[in-house]
Amino acid sequence: MPRITLADIARVLNLPAPPEASRLITGIAALTDARPGDLTMITSDAYLKQFAKTQATAVIAQRKVRLPGGGKIIFAVDDVEAAMANVLPLFAPPIQRPAPGIDPSAKISESARLGPGSAVAANAVIGQRTILGARVFLHPGVVIGDDVTLGDDCEIYPNVVIRERVTIGHRVSIHAGSVIGSDGFGYRWDGKQHAKVPQIGTVVIEDDVEIGSCVCIDRAKFGATRIGRGTKIDNLVQVAHNVEIGPHSIIVGQTGIAGSAKLGTGVILGGQTAVRDHITIGDGAVVAARSAIANNVPPKTTVSGMPALPHRQSLREQAALRRLPELILQVRRMQEELDALKKKP
């Protein structure tokens, strides 16, 4: 663990050095878990009770929060989350990477080309005519098919499979267990059985994409399934054939995107979102978790629900639905009163 002082934290946050600037900070923890020597954070007045009890030595605090005195070192900032994101690398342990070079157990085709500074770990497999850029790290058990291209500074974690003819840009990370370029789910009924439709296309992953664990990105029927630059995909996401995801989008875990859907730039899909095939989600659209997208979503729109509707409309409908049992009782009583009136002479 590196020796991090209060002065180091202040420097990262572009703040003046506090008193006892040479004092060591030994870790980062939540308000309720912090111990002496730890750094913690507070984002709003809702956590003032936890702040009063925390044992942390230093706190990154939202500037607008009125903190009581208590002898703690306070780093007041406008954006706590951004500040913590800048501080965390000081404490981050180094990523365990394979040593530069090729492990003796790796199987590499003679026609494959590896860029300078690359590392290929135990039991990795690289197919024919595949090209790896500079400083590519392949962790144990990675399998890369024929005619694949990986750009510079990529990191492929254990047991990832990258199928044939896939193209991956620079600075791409793919986490353990993901499969890139598996066959798209294409079948047609021929009168007797579901006959497989050949999936002859490919997958293109642009620069600066990060893909979580156990993600499946299917190859196109023809053409390309495309993941735009800077997009981040969480664990357990399914991206079907011929999907196009625009640059700088966020796809949260357990989302499924059906074939030929098109997502614009900066789209956010909350967890467990389902996206129907052949629809378009416009630039900057936000989809709340567990929504089902059955129709096109205009740009800069927030939608939610199943089926997804404009968010305010969805909230109104959910509020009305919660009143349904009460309304049913009211209608039943009214019906009973009406029936009683009808029986009177």
Side-chain angles (χ1 to χ4, degrees), residues 42-50 62 64-67:
I42 181 169
T43 56
S44 75
D45 293 338
Y47 301 102
L48 284 175
K49 288 185 179 180
Q50 291 95 318
Q62 196 77 27
K64 64 182 181 181
V65 177
R66 296 183 177 180
L67 298 175

Side-chain angles (χ1 to χ4, degrees), residues 85-288:
N86 290 331
V87 169
L88 279 168
L90 296 176
F91 295 86
I95 296 173
Q96 293 184 348
R97 289 191 169 102
I102 300 171
D103 188 272
S105 64
K107 304 294 183 183
I108 301 177
S109 169
E110 291 184 359
S111 58
R113 288 164 37 198
L114 277 62
S118 292
V120 181
N123 300 312
V125 177
I126 302 176
Q128 298 181 39
R129 299 173 299 279
T130 285
I131 300 173
L132 273 60
R135 300 171 301 280
V136 170
F137 288 87
L138 302 185
H139 288 254
V142 169
V143 176
I144 300 179
D146 298 341
D147 301 299
V148 171
T149 300
L150 273 77
D152 299 338
D153 301 300
C154 291
E155 185 147 17
I156 314 299
Y157 287 91
N159 299 319
V160 168
V161 175
I162 302 173
R163 291 273 303 272
E164 62 277 6
R165 305 191 312 280
V166 167
T167 299
I168 296 175
H170 303 301
R171 300 173 300 280
V172 171
S173 295
I174 305 176
H175 290 269
S178 289
V179 179
I180 313 298
S182 51
D183 283 0
F185 192 69
Y187 299 88
R188 61 177 182 82
W189 183 252
D190 65 4
K192 296 181 180 179
Q193 62 181 353
H194 295 290
K196 186 176 179 66
V197 176
Q199 306 292 299
I200 66 171
T202 186
V203 175
V204 176
I205 298 174
E206 297 181 357
D207 298 345
D208 301 303
V209 169
E210 184 161 5
I211 296 170
S213 295
C214 299
V215 172
C216 294
I217 302 176
D218 293 348
R219 71 176 56 250
K221 181 163 66 174
F222 46 81
T225 302
R226 183 176 295 272
I227 312 298
R229 70 184 184 279
T231 286
K232 313 301 180 185
I233 300 179
D234 195 4
N235 304 330
L236 299 168
V237 169
Q238 161 67 22
V239 180
H241 57 185
N242 292 92
V243 166
E244 296 180 13
I245 298 177
H248 305 295
S249 293
I250 295 288
I251 314 297
V252 184
Q254 298 187 349
T255 289
I257 306 174
S260 299
K262 290 180 170 54
L263 281 62
T265 299
V267 169
I268 298 175
L269 301 185
Q272 295 187 332
T273 293
V275 179
R276 203 197 76 186
D277 60 295
H278 293 87
I279 64 129
T280 299
I281 301 177
D283 295 349
V286 177
V287 180

Side-chain angles (χ1 to χ4, degrees), residues 259 295 335 342 344:
N295 298 295
Q335 184 65 51
K342 288 180 179 179
K344 288 184 178 181

